[in-house]
Each structure stands twice: as structure tokens, then as C-alpha cells.
Amino acid sequence: MTLLQKLKQRFRRDSVTLDLHDIQALILRSRPEPYVGVHAMLHFNEADGARALLGRLAPHIASADNWSEDLDFWIGAALSFEGLKALGVPEAQLKTFPLPFQQGMAARSEQLRDFGPNAPENWDEVFKAGNCHLALTIYAVDDTALDKALATARAELDKSSGVTLLGEHRFGAPDGAKNPFGFRDSISQPAVDGSGVDPLPGEERAIKAGEFLLGYESENGQALGMPEPAALGKNGTFVVLRKYNSRVGCFNAFLKAHGETPDEHEHLAAKMFGRWRSGAPLTLSPDHDDPELGADPQRNNDFDFKDDPKGRVVPLGCHMRRLNPRDSELTLLTDVNIHRIIRRSSTFGPVYSEDVAPEDDAKGDRGLFFIFISARAYDTIEFMQQEWINRGNFVDLGEERDPIVGLHEDDGRFTIPQAPARKRIDGIQTFNVMKGGEYLFMPSLSAIQWLAAGSWG
Ligand code: HEM
């Protein structure tokens, strides 16, 4: 049974309280597995043409409504602040958007700790400040479905004037859900209250919908501030898009330099991520990979850290535990449930191989579009980049950074707690280098029509 079929089986319409017909599918539907797709970035040169394109695209943008429908592709659309401006949205409404969104990702480099190799001046042209107005994403179950979706989108684009296609980037993970480093990803996702899909074992409880969608109650009991009017804000959400080039060769060389045998390399890699390549969590399988466990959604996220407070099984500083400390005791008190994110990342480039060498990294052909969705996306990403990724003092690790996505301008360190003495490994590098990104608003389907109509009253 495919992942989508499994998901559809878990869908219960009688527990739905959200306006699924108005919410973009990308928000509430997982990627297919395996998946292929395209990200297309567009620039609006002129408001009338841009609004006409939005209007023509609107019927093709999938809603989260019918989980039993056999969709073999879905298109999602998100706009930057500059995009909304270029559509002609009036100032009174523009200023109801969060300030970081208004400024755009490049202008937030200080808060995001995007310095040195990750700084905006080194980003791809597409993502240079103000360029990307509309980001279209297509997820498809196979190349045939993707070609069909692309033909649809291109036909609408060909009819348009006043819009420039800045770039199109194909992605996909033919080997299931493996990312550029050969690790299964997108496993741990929050369940969204009212979406009709109950939490899987290990997810404890569904998180209030207002954490992920505008216009619903959040974890603090109220709806978060929403762009106005409600016709524009309600059922929409915010998206963080960050494109990384993965230095897989460097990562391989690092593993080989710090272990004698392939088993030792695999063990170190698992300690850095918190899971084995198959997705099997270290907590449930501390000594070796277990592909059956990794592929089983009923078991692969069913754990917490209460029996591992010092991180002897899952290091406190590994990628997965940093970005969701679950029940770990944190030195800096934080409500973990308001920092949950829906991840919709996509991998590009050749399938992982242990033979990739550092010199191969210069091609820049492997990487990941890290994409996440949250109604408080900008606070969350800036908090994560500052506290959980590029520092370590929230778990008493001082200035130690995330070994996978941290920025390491000088060689970094990774601590593996163990008895009798913890092991410290130096030589961590920036294994994922930022190539650009943007802060985006993903409107509801009715808001796309509202924007296309341009009657702002
Ligand atoms: C750019 C390269 C990245 C790679 C290769 C990567 C890889 C992974 C892998 C393999 C996992 C474990 C499996 C899973 O649950 O999906 C994971 C989990 C996770 N990652 Fe990343 N990731 C990357 C970037 C990021 C960034 C930039 C963030 C946040 C700003 C992030 C946030 C998370 C979160 C929240 C989890 C789930 C933790 C949990 O709930 O247990 N990742 N990532």
C-alpha cells in the first residue's frame, strides 16, 4: 500500500472541523512516496497580467478536501510580500502582514544567522531580494503525472502577459523519501486538530489548527493575528522556503575520517541525525539500523526522550532532537508545541552514494528545498535558527551548533554523551549551504480568487 493510500485510510470526515475545501492541499496533505515535482518561481512585471494568471491557475490548485479522491498530482501557490504588492494589494491591507514577511527573507539575514557562505549575496539570482513573487510547487506521484501537471501550468503561463518565469527546479526522491544524504525524511509531522487525520503513535495529541492555519484557535487558546480582510487571511498560512546545496561529499569524508569501519560511519551519521538512514529512530534501535521499523509509520515516531535525559542514546545536540526536543529538559524554558512545523521539503539531485567525494560538491547538484508551514512561521524559523540550530546553550552545549544544518564558519564540534566520558568530535562543516529562500504567504483558494479579482474593497 502506498503512503497516500495509508493516509487516505486514516482520514475520517466526521472529525473534520476545518474548511478543507478552501485550504490548499499542500498544507495538510503529505508528499507522495516516492515523489517527483517542480518548484517554479515567477516575477510579476505588471498587475493586470499577474492577476489574470492567478485567476487562470486558481482552478488547478488542489484543495485539502477530498482525501479519497485519486489525485496523482497537486499544485500549490504561495506569494511573497513583493508579489502581493505587484498584484496591486493596497497599502492598508499590506501593512496587516507580519513585519518579517514584509521585509522578506534576505533582509532578515541577521535574525536568521545567514552569514558568510549562507549570506544573501551568495544566493541564486532567483532569490535575490524582491525577485520571487509567486512560487508554484507541483508534487506528483510519478513523471507521467508531473508532465501532465507541468503541461497544465505551462499552458496557463503561455497565455499570460506581464509575468516572467525566473526559474524552474525539478526535484524528486525515486528511492522513497530519502534526502540527499540517503536518510528518509519528513517522518515526524504534527497532527493538525480538525483536519480529519488522527495523530499517529508517538504524536501524543493533535496540535491546535491555529498553529498552522490562519483564523483558527491556536495552542494559546486564541487565533493568531491574521492579515486583513478575512477574505484574504482566513484559511491561509505562512511558508518558509530555504534552498540548500548539500555537501554530501564533505559529509562522507567527515564520517570516514572519524570511523574505521562502515558500521562506525553509519553509527556516527545516525548520532548526528538522531535516526538511521531508514528512518528508524535511535531511541528504538540504538545499535543498528532497522529498515522495517524505519518504514512503519505506526512505530517510527513512537518514542520520547524520558529514559534518555543525558542524550546517551540520542545526543542532545543531534539534528532531530534539537528541532523537536519533545520531553527533553531544556535549560531555556520553551513551549515545544508552539514550535511545531509542517515540513514539505523536497530533495533534488542524484540519489545518495557513499562514493560521493568532496570534489563532487562543487557541482552543487544535490540538495534540498527546506519548506515548512506554520501560522507563526517567521517567529519560529528565526527562533530555530538562533537558538536551536546555531547555538547549544538550551541543552547546555554552549556555542555548539546543529551538525547538519548549522552554519560552521570555523570547524564545529559535535558532542556524543556516553559513559564514562563524553566524546567530542571536531571538524563539523557547513554540510548544507543556503542558496536562497523567501518568506511566503499561502492564501486560501477563495483568497486566490479574491486577489485575482482585484476588487480590494
Ligand atoms: C537542509 C537540510 C536538512 C536535512 C538533510 C534534514 C534532515 C532531517 C532528517 C533526516 C530528519 C529525521 C526524520 C524526520 O522526522 O523527518 C529531520 C527531522 C527534522 N528536521 Fe530536518 N533537515 C534539514 C533541514 C532542517 C531545517 C533547516 C529545519 C528547521 C529550521 C529542520 C527541522 C526538522 C524538524 C522539526 C524535524 C523533526 C524532528 C522531530 O519531530 O523529531 N530540518 N531532518
Side-chain angles (χ1 to χ4, degrees):
M1 196 187 294
T2 66
L3 178 81
L4 276 186
Q5 285 162 336
K6 285 183 199 157
L7 276 168
K8 285 170 186 171
Q9 257 188 1
R10 287 174 52 215
F11 179 64
R12 289 194 298 106
R13 188 162 289 280
D14 57 0
S15 68
V16 173
T17 55
L18 309 179
D19 302 331
L20 293 189
H21 63 278
D22 198 31
I23 297 170
Q24 291 199 38
L26 244 161
I27 302 171
L28 295 174
R29 276 182 198 248
S30 301
R31 308 177 303 211
E33 204 181 295
Y35 64 91
V36 287
V38 162
H39 296 298
M41 321 300 167
L42 296 97
H43 184 88
F44 301 148
N45 309 310
E46 171 265 296
D48 288 345
R51 285 203 302 270
L53 172 67
L54 266 194
R56 278 200 301 276
L57 284 175
H60 305 295
I61 296 176
S63 88
D65 189 24
N66 201 342
W67 285 66
S68 57
E69 221 175 71
D70 265 331
L71 279 186
D72 52 6
F73 70 82
W74 49 95
I75 302 179
L79 294 146
S80 67
F81 183 72
E82 292 302 322
L84 291 174
K85 249 166 79 178
L87 286 171
V89 177
E91 184 59 30
Q93 282 139 12
L94 288 174
K95 67 178 195 221
T96 63
F97 281 83
L99 186 65
F101 173 73
Q102 294 185 30
Q103 294 175 330
M105 186 177 282
R108 302 293 291 180
S109 57
E110 180 78 34
Q111 291 83 353
L112 288 163
R113 306 292 188 259
D114 287 338
F115 304 137
N118 285 359
E121 53 267 29
N122 298 318
W123 292 3
D124 294 350
E125 202 49 41
V126 181
F127 295 111
K128 291 269 167 75
N131 280 1
C132 172
H133 289 171
L134 171 67
L136 290 179
T137 294
I138 304 174
Y139 270 109
V141 295
D142 55 28
D143 284 327
T144 314
L146 179 59
D147 289 342
K148 201 164 64 183
L150 274 173
T152 306
R154 283 193 188 123
E156 299 303 356
L157 192 59
D158 286 347
K159 288 183 224 150
S160 307
S161 60
V163 179
T164 308
L165 176 64
L166 299 175
E168 212 181 82
H169 204 123
R170 220 171 162 112
F171 58 79
D175 58 340
K178 298 279 178 73
N179 70 21
F181 299 90
F183 280 72
R184 175 187 281 272
D185 71 7
S186 271
I187 298 174
S188 174
Q189 302 279 10
V192 182
D193 197 26
S195 67
V197 181
D198 290 337
L200 281 166
E203 284 169 355
E204 287 176 44
R205 65 176 176 87
I207 306 288
K208 292 278 186 223
E211 293 297 319
F212 308 105
L213 285 161
L214 297 165
Y216 296 92
E217 188 184 314
S218 73
E219 285 287 310
N220 68 18
Q222 284 162 4
L224 305 179
M226 171 169 96
E228 288 165 17
L232 175 60
K234 171 103 186 180
N235 289 325
T237 190
F238 295 111
V239 179
V240 169
L241 165 73
R242 287 168 75 78
K243 181 189 171 201
Y244 288 93
N245 274 3
S246 298
R247 297 172 68 211
V248 177
C250 247
F251 180 73
N252 281 344
F254 172 81
L255 297 181
K256 287 174 188 161
H258 294 282
E260 300 286 321
T261 63
D263 280 353
E264 285 176 10
H265 306 154
E266 289 306 283
H267 198 229
L268 174 56
K271 288 280 187 186
M272 291 164 76
F273 276 98
R275 293 181 185 263
W276 300 91
R277 285 187 208 268
S278 74
L282 270 171
T283 310
L284 302 181
S285 184
D287 302 319
H288 55 82
D289 200 352
D290 179 346
E292 235 175 80
L293 168 62
D296 183 353
Q298 294 296 324
R299 293 190 295 146
N300 65 13
N301 205 31
D302 191 8
F303 63 92
D304 57 29
F305 299 124
K306 78 171 170 308
D307 296 328
D308 184 24
K310 295 194 160 44
R312 290 197 173 140
V313 179
V314 184
L316 301 170
C318 76
H319 175 67
M320 181 194 77
R321 191 160 176 173
R322 280 174 176 266
L323 273 315
N324 183 6
R326 302 183 189 220
D327 55 346
S328 307
E329 201 171 298
L330 304 182
T331 312
L332 300 177
L333 267 192
T334 309
D335 182 347
V336 171
N337 282 336
I338 66 164
H339 295 298
R340 299 301 308 281
I341 56 181
I342 296 177
R343 286 172 298 140
R344 292 285 180 257
S345 300
S346 49
T347 286
F348 60 88
V351 170
Y352 171 78
S353 153
E354 60 183 355
D355 299 328
V356 182
E359 50 277 19
D360 298 322
D361 292 344
K363 287 188 224 151
D365 57 350
R366 297 165 192 267
L368 191 137
F369 285 89
F370 174 74
I371 298 174
F372 84 71
I373 291 164
S374 156
R376 40 175 123 230
Y378 312 126
D379 287 350
T380 298
I381 186 67
E382 293 180 3
F383 168 82
M384 283 178 166
Q385 283 287 121
Q386 288 170 32
E387 299 298 333
W388 286 358
I389 291 180
N390 289 310
R391 282 178 98 179
N393 62 353
F394 71 108
V395 279
D396 288 336
L397 285 174
E399 290 303 308
E400 196 173 302
R401 298 174 176 201
D402 185 309
I404 306 300
V405 288
L407 169 67
H408 303 275
E409 286 190 90
D410 304 317
D411 274 4
R413 169 173 283 184
F414 178 56
T415 303
I416 304 182
Q418 57 187 27
R422 63 188 165 188
K423 192 166 161 190
R424 287 183 154 148
I425 304 186
D426 291 320
I428 298 276
Q429 299 182 35
T430 306
F431 293 124
N432 287 287
V433 181
M434 264 292 278
K435 284 301 179 192
E438 193 47 285
Y439 283 168
L440 300 165
F441 170 58
M442 184 168 274
S444 68
L445 295 174
S446 54
I448 293 177
Q449 299 281 12
W450 185 87
L451 287 164
S455 29
W456 314 115

